[in-house]
Amino acid sequence: MDPRKVFLIELHEIIKDYSEIRNQLVDPSEDNIIWDEFKLSKEEVNALKKYNFDDVALSAIEKTVRDTILGAFHDAFALLDAVADPNIVEVDKTWLGLALSERELNEEEENEEFLHDEIYGAYWDWLEQRNKDK
């Protein structure tokens, strides 16, 4: 199967898995969030505990989350494909996007940075950009 198709199919599975948040809503905890920056406060946990979510409400919430995640990936890919321009970072020249390509067996770039590692660190850069004009 075409590697791009494999990636996109797997992406839909990841989106589905991450949208299934009913356990976090039914049994909220400060520990349900992995990354410290997004940990729920005691007040947020208590607010969620006040709700008695039924299966229909949980299904609606999960569909909304899945749609939102899919939309986020769509917009990120539009930025990669250069059919959208950066919104908060000023670039010096025309935005040409980025290319992701299939690797060859045993192909490895020296000192290569991986996007899955960089995404968390980029959060602080994003915050800085968001607060730059405020």
Side-chain angles (χ1 to χ4, degrees):
M1 185 180 290
D2 173 48
R4 289 169 61 103
K5 180 71 88 178
V6 170
F7 176 76
L8 292 171
I9 289 170
E10 290 295 322
L11 185 59
H12 278 282
E13 183 70 10
I14 292 167
I15 291 169
K16 179 196 73 66
D17 290 345
Y18 276 83
S19 69
E20 294 174 347
I21 61 168
R22 66 184 55 221
N23 290 339
Q24 291 99 316
L25 296 172
V26 172
D27 186 25
S29 163
E30 295 173 47
D31 299 326
N32 281 353
I33 306 295
I34 296 170
W35 200 39
D36 285 339
E37 188 65 20
F38 300 142
K39 292 265 186 215
L40 299 178
S41 68
K42 287 185 188 331
E43 294 83 14
E44 291 167 329
V45 169
N46 289 335
L48 286 173
K49 285 182 178 181
K50 288 180 184 178
Y51 291 95
N52 186 17
F53 298 104
D54 62 16
D55 281 340
V56 175
L58 291 168
S59 177
I61 291 167
E62 288 180 339
K63 284 180 180 179
T64 302
V65 169
R66 187 181 298 181
D67 182 67
T68 301
I69 295 170
L70 182 58
F73 274 108
H74 173 272
D75 289 358
F77 291 153
L79 192 58
L80 280 172
D81 292 339
V83 295
D85 291 323
N87 285 320
I88 67 167
V89 177
E90 290 185 32
V91 292
D92 295 334
K93 53 188 175 185
T94 302
W95 177 253
L96 300 175
L98 299 171
L100 300 178
S101 60
E102 181 182 12
R103 292 174 186 245
E104 299 296 325
L105 189 61
N106 297 325
E107 178 185 350
E108 191 175 311
E109 292 186 33
E110 197 170 315
N111 301 321
E112 181 177 17
E113 302 266 345
F114 290 105
L115 289 173
H116 76 275
D117 292 326
E118 292 182 55
I119 187 71
Y120 288 103
Y123 173 80
W124 304 110
D125 299 327
W126 168 78
L127 264 183
E128 183 180 315
Q129 288 292 318
R130 297 270 310 171
N131 295 324
K132 190 163 85 172
D133 296 327
K134 293 180 181 179

